[in-house]
Amino acid sequence: LGHLIVFNPGGRAAGLDVTAYFEDRDPTTFHLEARRGTSTVWDYREWPIPPNTRFALKVESSGR
């Protein structure tokens, strides 16, 4: 199983652009939102990534 945990200490939600990189195909990018003032946890099975696939993530935030 894989998870992404993001802590957002700010006073408003932060948009996240997540790019998944794969060994055998082109990357895919999707959007998540980190709730304000707390940690948010995502299970990778909710993302556009096939099961049993190796991947790496780049996470970029619109927040400060």
Side-chain angles (χ1 to χ4, degrees), residues 4 7 16 37 44 49 51 54 61:
L4 174 64
F7 174 63
L16 305 175
Y44 83 96
I49 296 174
R54 289 177 52 125
S61 172

Side-chain angles (χ1 to χ4, degrees), residues 6-10 34-40:
V6 174
F7 174 63
N8 177 7
R35 295 183 312 248
R36 65 185 177 97
T38 190
S39 295
T40 305

Side-chain angles (χ1 to χ4, degrees), residues 1-3 43-45:
L1 289 184
H3 293 83
D43 183 322
Y44 83 96
R45 292 176 292 184

Side-chain angles (χ1 to χ4, degrees), residues 6-39:
V6 174
F7 174 63
N8 177 7
R12 62 179 183 216
L16 305 175
D17 290 320
V18 181
T19 303
Y21 293 90
F22 306 95
E23 295 177 319
D24 59 352
R25 62 188 175 105
D26 290 335
T28 186
T29 300
F30 53 98
H31 186 78
L32 299 172
E33 187 170 293
R35 295 183 312 248
R36 65 185 177 97
T38 190
S39 295

